[in-house]
Amino acid sequence: MKKFLFPLMFFIFSTGFAQEAEKQTPIPDPIVFETSHLGTFHGKSISYKAISGETFLKNNEGEPVAALWSTSYIKPETDSGKRPVTFIFNGGPGSASVWLHMGVFGPKIVKVDSEAKTDDGAAPFNMVNNELALLDITDLVFIDPVGTGYSKVIGKGKEEDFWGLTEDAKSIAQFIRLWITKHQRWQSPKYIAGESYGTTRASAVTAALEGSGQAVALNGLILISQALDYQGSTSVHDNIASYFTYFPTMAATAWYHSKAGQGKKLEDFVAEARGFAYTEYLPALYKGNQSTVIEKEKIANRISYFLGLEKEYVLLSDNRILTDRFKKELLRREGKTIGTLDGRYLGEEGDQTAASPTLGDPSSYGIDAAYTAALQDYFAKTLQVNVDRPYLTSNGSIGGKWNWKPVPEGSYWEPSYVNVAPSLGESMRRNKDLKVMVANGYYDLITPFLDAEYTFARHDIPMERVQMFYYEGGHMMYNHRPDFEKLVKDIREFMGK
């Protein structure tokens, strides 16, 4: 035994030394790149600086636990302390801010097919100056949550400290406080623009900013493709609400592909589908198998009329059409599958007998490469960003580890749909100046527009401070150029400009 004592002691000593050395390894200073630019926005020539880099988030002991990456566009002014600032992020959870950055809000954007006829293919991609960027009326701050973009855990930080509904909101709220303190913007009007899960985050961040002894009251939320109450945006069997909330969106998509509502205006056909969903379809769904054969036949005829599906298929589905099946069934005879984020997009799949799409979402893989390449090129050549780690436009490992519980650890909790809408209502009642803009795409088959109406109608939200807008695009309605222009116009009016 003795002959092994020295090697064992050496191993223990060397391992402990290595661990101690690792703990004591100093964390490098935050990486920051600053450049100056001149651009024309809404007819005005504007000088601005771009600051792209890390901000260290710290724990209660003042130790850095995360390096959060952001890109800020700031217009120097004599009284910049009162100039509006808009904080922007996408969703996922697990998505960087690339989509809103390079799709609509940034000073440069990538162009994809506005009519969704073709996918983005391969490089080169077309990137252009965005003369409709909002830099004439607000500074812009694009935030990449921890685990996305260049943002990462450092020091004593752990992924679980950030990958959760509450944890994520606290980290973004901490960043916003740090940013407005560093740039002396406590008196500036403050807005948040979020997309998809980014709207969930926006509501949670709004609540998080109200506490911690540093209350920050927001002026407005811009919710693009809202996802506040997940019951209405989760298309699964036995979730009656989802058959109802998705129905007008499926009707709109059938109209777009000339399968239903021909000879009618989109808005009129949508209104007709919405009326059916409320007055006939929802009662039938709740009645279920208590309905007579004749009653089921009547509902099936109406569903077939609105969704462009054969009556026999509708009846086989027991008058309950899941969105995944609708996407495969609508154009099955043409060998096409429609998109999820945007029902205008089409894909061609090898398996024509599958119940649902097999290749993924054509409205996602149809634009991913363009957005990714454009951001990488823009960072390197225009913002002079040079970082020795990959920029993750999305991080698939985050979703499976996400803590959805909006309650403290140890509290009693039963599985349910995520719902931050009541929290938003409470925040609006505590802050009389907080107003909300909701942007909905008619062809959004992941966060349907009726779900937005349904959500805001039943959670004690002060509706006099809520504005609903509708666009003839999908989840990312700004990919459709006419909607891009309308969205910018609507945001400007919402901000009072």
Side-chain angles (χ1 to χ4, degrees), residues 47-51 72-76 135 139 179 183 185:
S47 297
Y48 64 97
K49 60 181 178 180
I51 304 173
S72 304
Y73 298 101
I74 301 173
K75 178 179 178 290
L135 272 169
D139 288 343
W179 194 96
H183 296 281
R185 304 297 288 276

Side-chain angles (χ1 to χ4, degrees), residues 458-475:
R458 61 192 179 89
H459 286 299
D460 292 331
I461 295 173
M463 291 303 294
E464 67 274 11
R465 283 184 272 143
V466 176
Q467 298 179 49
M468 289 274 182
F469 298 89
Y470 301 84
Y471 305 89
E472 292 189 42
H475 197 69

Side-chain angles (χ1 to χ4, degrees), residues 407-421:
V407 294
E409 186 67 29
S411 297
Y412 186 84
W413 184 82
E414 291 183 350
S416 63
Y417 292 105
V418 173
N419 186 3
V420 296

Side-chain angles (χ1 to χ4, degrees), residues 231-281:
Q231 184 178 19
S233 57
T234 305
S235 181
V236 294
H237 276 319
D238 298 322
N239 177 16
I240 289 179
S242 68
Y243 301 118
F244 161 74
T245 54
Y246 276 95
F247 191 84
T249 296
M250 291 191 286
T253 305
W255 176 92
Y256 178 83
H257 291 291
S258 302
K259 293 296 183 179
Q262 296 310 286
K264 298 184 178 183
K265 292 182 179 179
L266 173 62
E267 293 82 358
D268 294 340
F269 189 58
V270 164
E272 188 181 353
R274 184 192 285 113
F276 165 75
Y278 271 107
T279 61
E280 299 180 59
Y281 192 35

Side-chain angles (χ1 to χ4, degrees), residues 65 86 98 109 126 171 205 214 234 250 278 280 296 310 367 390 456 461 497:
V65 289
T86 303
V98 54
I109 55 173
N126 189 15
S171 70
V205 169
Q214 285 188 305
T234 305
M250 291 191 286
Y278 271 107
E280 299 180 59
K296 286 193 173 187
E310 293 181 358
I367 61 173
F456 277 83
I461 295 173
K497 302 297 181 180

Side-chain angles (χ1 to χ4, degrees), residues 56-65:
F56 282 177
L57 305 183
K58 299 181 179 180
N59 60 19
N60 293 334
E61 287 70 43
E63 302 166 315
V65 289

Side-chain angles (χ1 to χ4, degrees), residues 412-433:
Y412 186 84
W413 184 82
E414 291 183 350
S416 63
Y417 292 105
V418 173
N419 186 3
V420 296
S423 173
L424 175 58
E426 293 169 0
S427 293
M428 293 180 72
R429 292 181 184 280
R430 284 191 289 262
N431 175 3
K432 67 178 179 61
D433 289 330

Side-chain angles (χ1 to χ4, degrees), residues 18-29:
Q19 291 175 342
E20 188 63 29
E22 183 178 353
K23 290 181 181 178
Q24 296 178 356
T25 301
I27 298 174
D29 291 336

